[in-house]
Amino acid sequence: MSEALNRNYRLCEEIGRGRFGVVYRCYSLATGDSFAVKSVDKSLIADDSVDRQCLYNEAKVMQLISPNPNVVQIYDVYEDDSHLHIVIELCNNSDLFHQIANQVFSEAEAAAVLAPLMAAIAHCHRRGVAHRDVKPDNILFDEWGRLKLADFGSAECFREGEMMSGVVGTPYYVAPEVVAGREYSEKVDVWSAGVILYIMLAGIPPFYGDTAAEIFEAVLRANLRFPSRIFHSVSPAVKDLLRRMLCKDVSRRFSAEQVLRHPWMTTT
């Protein structure tokens, strides 16, 4: 473990684990405040791999977009011969994945999640960062219940009007232009947020399949439906917003800022 990290923080219990490392709760020796530290074992990542690029990119991107009240904040980065340690805000309350697994949201409850999520996405886009893996697992809540967008390992920096490439994301939430292998813009994040809104209201994803291949086929068709047995009590306003977020034609798809200005968002 990094000597510099140990001089400033005391590591406690493990609170998460990924492909390349472990997340621990820790606290500052100077203030006693609690944080999380993501410790990545560099020996598990090939020197020339995309994963290594993502590892260093994550810390750079988080520094670019911090601070923001709806984005997980980065505080320190330490590196030694074997590990990279990223000290970040501790969000140990819950995540949206567990919430949507246990309930269908009312429109007011869904709006209370979508508003800060879209504020976070709009902030990232203004800073020239596309998250590229917006999904419920990456939407955390702190001890006061505030939403925090997390996990920028797949994020990409872009300049205005510049397109990105590379298949990244998670099957249910990935935009059709990504699945098709085309170049794409930051609006892929709006599509993913639209899928999340649909799932919160319906309890099921808008584009479904039993395998990843079937899901991708459904995403490519982008045939958005509102089954009456599920959506009978859902307002026309939120259906309109969903059509504008889950629009296959990227030129007509809303930006994050347009989502925030939609009447459903401003009146619900």
Side-chain angles (χ1 to χ4, degrees):
M1 198 60 72
S2 164
E3 288 183 19
L5 176 67
N6 286 333
R7 279 198 300 271
N8 295 307
Y9 297 92
R10 179 65 45 82
L11 266 62
C12 304
E13 73 277 10
E14 178 183 322
I15 56 174
R17 184 172 284 266
R19 274 193 306 160
F20 302 119
V22 181
V23 181
Y24 300 95
R25 187 177 68 81
C26 67
Y27 64 88
S28 165
L29 293 172
T31 67
D33 293 336
S34 291
F35 300 91
V37 58
K38 186 174 185 177
S39 294
V40 181
D41 185 344
K42 295 192 291 188
S43 70
L44 298 177
I45 309 173
D47 285 341
D48 59 349
S49 71
V50 172
D51 291 313
R52 179 161 289 245
Q53 183 182 338
C54 289
L55 166 63
Y56 289 98
N57 190 51
E58 182 173 12
K60 182 184 81 171
V61 162
M62 290 187 74
Q63 288 166 330
L64 185 63
I65 58 178
S66 288
N68 180 272
N70 296 121
V71 173
V72 168
Q73 189 163 340
I74 186 170
Y75 292 98
D76 282 306
V77 179
Y78 301 93
E79 185 172 10
D80 54 38
D81 290 341
S82 61
H83 286 78
L84 182 73
H85 310 281
I86 306 173
V87 180
I88 56 176
E89 188 173 0
L90 179 65
C91 296
N92 58 354
N93 190 357
S94 177
D95 62 42
L96 188 60
F97 178 81
H98 288 94
Q99 291 187 14
I100 63 173
N102 296 314
Q103 70 175 106
V104 173
F105 288 58
S106 68
E107 288 190 42
E109 289 167 337
V113 171
L114 191 67
L117 173 60
M118 293 313 303
I121 291 171
H123 168 75
C124 292
H125 292 178
R126 284 193 297 271
R127 294 288 178 92
V129 171
H131 186 284
R132 301 201 302 173
D133 195 19
V134 175
K135 59 182 178 180
D137 322 46
N138 292 336
I139 299 167
L140 311 181
F141 297 91
D142 68 12
E143 60 184 307
W144 295 282
R146 290 179 301 207
L147 180 146
K148 304 280 182 174
L149 182 59
D151 197 345
F152 287 81
S154 297
E156 180 79 20
C157 295
F158 65 92
R159 292 186 178 88
E160 189 172 352
E162 189 177 76
M163 303 296 277
M164 290 163 272
S165 61
V167 178
V168 295
T170 302
Y172 283 124
Y173 306 95
V174 70
E177 60 269 28
V178 178
V179 178
R182 300 196 303 269
E183 290 190 324
Y184 51 84
S185 74
E186 70 277 10
K187 285 186 180 181
V188 294
D189 292 341
V190 176
W191 176 280
S192 300
V195 174
I196 291 168
L197 175 58
Y198 188 104
I199 292 172
M200 285 193 290
L201 295 170
I204 57 171
F207 312 110
Y208 182 78
D210 290 325
T211 65
E214 288 178 5
I215 295 166
F216 288 145
E217 285 175 14
V219 168
L220 281 170
R221 287 194 299 271
N223 185 12
L224 182 62
R225 291 176 173 161
F226 300 108
S228 56
R229 63 185 174 81
I230 296 172
F231 281 89
H232 60 89
S233 61
V234 173
S235 71
V238 73
K239 291 178 187 175
D240 179 72
L241 177 58
L242 281 164
R243 289 188 189 97
R244 294 172 188 275
M245 296 177 75
L246 296 173
C247 181
K248 189 175 180 181
D249 182 347
V250 181
S251 67
R252 292 172 50 234
R253 187 184 306 159
F254 266 13
S255 67
E257 300 280 4
Q258 286 175 307
V259 173
L260 288 167
R261 294 195 298 268
H262 188 274
W264 183 79
M265 293 290 287
T266 58
T267 60
T268 304

